Amino acid sequence: MKTDIEIAQEAQMSPIIDIARSIGLDEDDIEMYGKYKAKVSLGVWERIKDRPSGKVVLVTAINPTPAGEGKTTNTVGLGMALNRLGKKAIIALREPSLGPSFGIKGGAAGGGYAQVLPMEDINLHFTGDIHAVTSAHNLLAAILDNHLHQGNDLNIDPRQVMLRRVMDLNERALRNIVLGLGGKINGVPRESGFDISVASEVMAALCLATDLMDLKERFKKMVVAYTFDGKPVTAADLKAAGSMALLMKDAIKPNLVQTLENTPAFVHGGPFANIAHGSNSIVATRMGMKLADYMVTEAGFGADLGAEKFFDIVCRYGGFKPAAVVLVATVRALKNHGGVPKSQLGEKNMSALAQGIENLEKQLENINKYGVPVVVALNEFPGDTAEEMDFITARCAALGAEVALSQVWAKGGAGGEELARQVIKAAEKPNEFKFLYHNELPLQDKVACVCQEIYGADGVSYAPEALKRLNQYQEQGYGHLPVCIAKTQYSLSDNPDLKGRPRGFTVSVKEVRLSAGAGFIVALAGTVMTMPGLGKTPAAENIDILENGQIVGLF
């Protein structure tokens, strides 16, 4: 089969104005970024906000393994399949970060015959949204350091500056740095560092805001440092929120593109899923709900991270609920969770499958806690046997979940029609969606609730400083915020080596951060990198552009 980029480059794209017209938009509603990309004006919302809402379908997955699950590919394929069945569907994805694109992934726009286009543009700069996030974040950092240099009227303790700088590349050498060296003229020396741009609170705020003014209000609330007497200092105190919002005036507008089969697609925002909430923007999702019968979106990594945060954070702020959930799994990945190395995943191994399927069962149990109908998408790989498929189907049926075979990677929308039919049925079932916890629950109890109910932990332990911070935030009036737990994506626990369904473990919270602007408390469990590094052979080494302008190496 051809590579992803070969398939994408041979596709026949429709002019983006035709894609816009297919969902009821016209020339005045969009701002063109070339022939195949556009931003949608926020003014569209005022015209459509009172329309009936379409159904939100969330696509999530088991804990990811090197064997691959195909969550984005199935999101794209499901949207195309729904349109093939006569339903009006729009999909929504996050924007790929340059860090993973040049690091390990080489691209993040779906795969095979289920991709969003133009694939190269989406993976490389796109419409500049992530660069806008980088600029707004670093403007705030520059204003803060300038305030220290110009006399520090706010009495900021340089040792308690929480804000780091960001860039949209993997760069381990910048994780820890010292600023202000070289004499008095160069500022106040202090320790700091860089995070990747998609881990910025600015990005999280962008994706949870409902419009530009809401985004500006969230910027005002961002706590960037503390005074010598322990009082929080915000972006509003530094008078930075207005200029930050100005830099985001275009980034707040959703990006409209298309799939290989010309299904409309919003690709907007890109918060990390193991650090932030890992979903596309509320602006794009709400707009899609009013323009289509089905709004198909995805949440980052496994359901223990992405789906939990989508339910408890995104739905809470967006004011919507999912009509159905798709849980993506593969026979290969389940056997990997059962202890089979990647080199042997093509061999039938029922005992390993029986052990690994516990991961899928736990994720199903978790989704059921929210009262939403769920369909398991069994992403087909060559070598999967009928016995393995039947085993998974029977185990899922015992938990009340239908299973549909997905062949979207090889067949596009046609390979997702069985899944689409199951999703349509699921979305018509009674829906008793509820949050896992209430806002009024104390922060410690919220963390414990997620760790015990979703991860299956026996309890939670805190580093002394982390517990101190958590109690401090509770006392300062932030106790009503939801919690966003940052942990490894490779395990239900905070230990990436514990596959399947771990039991008898305690989640270790090493650090707690306040994201008052985005609107959540971050608890960092285990080892979580907010600035990734490049591997020994980064994807960037195989990415190139030829003399004729053709891009190679993205996949």
Side-chain angles (χ1 to χ4, degrees):
M1 183 168 162
K2 297 175 182 178
T3 65
D4 289 353
I5 195 167
E6 288 172 340
I7 293 169
Q9 290 172 342
E10 293 175 2
Q12 295 296 312
M13 286 188 283
S14 296
I16 198 62
I17 183 58
D18 292 343
I19 300 298
R21 287 178 178 138
S22 74
I23 53 175
L25 304 178
D26 58 33
E27 291 92 335
D28 293 334
D29 295 324
I30 64 173
E31 300 169 14
M32 306 278 282
Y33 278 63
K35 190 176 180 181
Y36 302 112
K37 309 187 295 287
K39 279 192 168 289
V40 180
S41 169
L42 295 185
V44 169
W45 177 250
E46 290 303 314
R47 190 175 80 240
I48 66 175
K49 65 181 181 181
D50 294 326
R51 293 181 183 178
S53 294
K55 299 180 185 298
V56 175
V57 177
L58 175 69
V59 180
T60 185
I62 62 173
N63 288 103
T65 74
E69 290 69 50
K71 179 161 51 63
T72 302
T73 300
N74 275 272
T75 302
V76 177
L78 175 59
M80 297 191 303
L82 286 166
N83 279 317
R84 289 176 64 92
L85 296 179
K87 304 297 182 181
K88 192 174 183 181
I90 297 175
I91 68 166
L93 304 173
R94 290 173 294 161
E95 300 178 44
S97 164
L98 291 180
S101 291
F102 287 118
I104 56 172
K105 288 186 176 180
Y113 287 92
Q115 298 185 54
V116 283
L117 305 173
M119 183 263 248
E120 302 100 318
D121 291 0
I122 292 168
N123 282 307
L124 303 172
H125 303 297
F126 199 22
T127 57
D129 293 347
I130 297 181
H131 296 312
V133 168
T134 303
S135 296
H137 182 113
N138 288 339
L139 173 63
L140 177 58
I143 289 173
L144 191 158
D145 276 298
N146 183 62
H147 184 89
L148 292 174
H149 176 71
Q150 300 292 351
N152 195 10
D153 291 343
L154 293 173
N155 198 34
I156 296 171
D157 183 351
R159 299 164 302 178
Q160 294 195 74
V161 173
M162 315 307 293
L163 187 72
R164 293 153 58 89
R165 282 164 170 76
V166 298
M167 63 183 294
D168 192 36
L169 290 171
N170 294 359
E171 177 55 288
R172 65 168 54 82
L174 294 178
R175 287 173 183 160
N176 298 285
I177 64 172
V178 178
L179 302 172
L181 298 180
K184 185 176 180 180
I185 193 173
N186 292 320
V188 177
R190 64 180 185 83
E191 293 185 40
S192 188
F194 274 77
D195 295 328
I196 194 165
S197 297
V198 286
S200 167
E201 186 179 351
V202 173
M203 175 62 85
L206 166 67
C207 289
L208 291 173
T210 54
D211 54 38
L212 184 59
M213 291 300 102
D214 180 31
L215 182 59
K216 183 165 70 172
E217 289 303 310
R218 289 175 182 273
F219 287 164
K220 289 179 181 178
K221 297 175 183 177
M222 287 179 60
V223 174
V224 297
Y226 291 89
T227 64
F228 282 101
D229 52 358
K231 295 180 181 178
V233 178
T234 65
D237 295 327
L238 291 166
K239 301 181 177 62
S243 54
M244 291 171 66
L246 174 61
L247 289 174
M248 301 295 291
K249 68 179 181 63
D250 293 318
I252 188 71
K253 302 170 186 174
N255 303 301
L256 179 65
V257 289
Q258 63 191 289
T259 72
L260 277 166
E261 298 179 11
N262 312 118
T263 293
F266 286 126
V267 180
H268 193 217
F272 258 24
N274 61 346
I275 298 165
H277 60 285
S279 301
N280 67 279
S281 71
I282 283 177
V283 171
T285 300
R286 293 205 310 173
M287 198 173 284
M289 290 170 62
K290 300 297 182 178
L291 294 171
D293 301 324
Y294 291 86
M295 173 76 254
V296 183
T297 186
E298 70 167 342
F301 294 133
D304 53 312
L305 283 170
E308 184 275 318
K309 294 173 183 179
F310 184 85
F311 296 147
D312 288 317
I313 298 176
V314 179
C315 291
R316 200 181 299 260
Y317 284 121
F320 49 74
K321 67 179 183 180
V325 176
V326 174
L327 183 64
V328 181
T330 68
V331 172
R332 293 163 55 86
L334 291 173
K335 286 189 289 192
N336 190 240
H337 270 291
V340 176
K342 188 175 181 181
S343 60
Q344 299 174 20
L345 291 176
E347 304 170 11
K348 188 171 76 169
N349 189 326
M350 297 304 295
S351 61
L353 182 60
Q355 184 175 343
I357 201 173
E358 287 194 337
N359 185 273
L360 173 60
E361 291 177 333
K362 176 57 177 167
Q363 302 288 17
L364 281 172
E365 290 175 15
N366 290 344
I367 295 168
N368 288 335
K369 293 177 190 290
Y370 292 92
V372 185
V374 58
V375 177
V376 174
L378 198 51
N379 198 16
E380 184 185 54
F381 273 73
D384 293 347
T385 67
E387 184 180 0
E388 291 169 323
M389 300 282 197
D390 291 344
F391 177 79
I392 294 171
T393 300
R395 293 285 286 264
C396 291
L399 289 171
E402 299 291 338
V403 178
L405 182 65
S406 175
Q407 300 172 313
V408 297
W409 181 82
K411 299 180 180 180
E417 290 186 11
E418 178 187 349
L419 174 62
R421 292 188 185 95
Q422 294 283 13
V423 167
I424 292 168
K425 291 179 183 177
E428 297 299 328
K429 291 180 179 179
N431 190 318
E432 301 175 355
F433 176 71
K434 57 184 178 296
F435 300 126
L436 188 68
Y437 53 79
H438 297 293
N439 288 335
E440 296 75 21
L441 199 67
L443 292 174
Q444 277 198 61
D445 292 344
K446 289 174 184 174
V447 173
C449 183
V450 174
C451 290
Q452 293 173 331
E453 293 291 324
I454 302 301
Y455 307 157
D458 289 343
V460 184
S461 66
Y462 290 89
E465 182 63 24
L467 185 58
K468 177 183 175 183
R469 285 286 186 194
L470 195 65
N471 291 333
Q472 177 186 6
Y473 299 149
Q474 184 77 42
E475 294 168 2
Q476 289 175 342
Y478 297 111
H480 65 286
L481 296 178
V483 295
C484 181
I485 299 180
K487 73 171 186 69
T488 179
Q489 64 268 32
Y490 299 115
S491 173
L492 282 160
S493 74
D494 56 351
N495 180 351
D497 296 328
L498 298 180
K499 303 297 185 181
R501 181 177 185 167
R503 293 176 172 84
F505 66 93
T506 298
V507 172
S508 176
V509 176
K510 298 183 177 180
E511 185 181 350
V512 176
R513 298 180 184 177
L514 172 64
S515 293
F520 50 70
I521 302 291
V522 181
L524 286 88
T527 301
V528 178
M529 290 292 182
T530 53
M531 169 54 87
L534 294 173
K536 188 173 183 179
T537 307
E541 293 184 6
N542 298 311
I543 296 173
D544 201 356
I545 185 167
L546 306 182
E547 186 177 2
N548 63 0
Q550 181 182 358
I551 295 170
V552 295
L554 281 171
F555 55 87

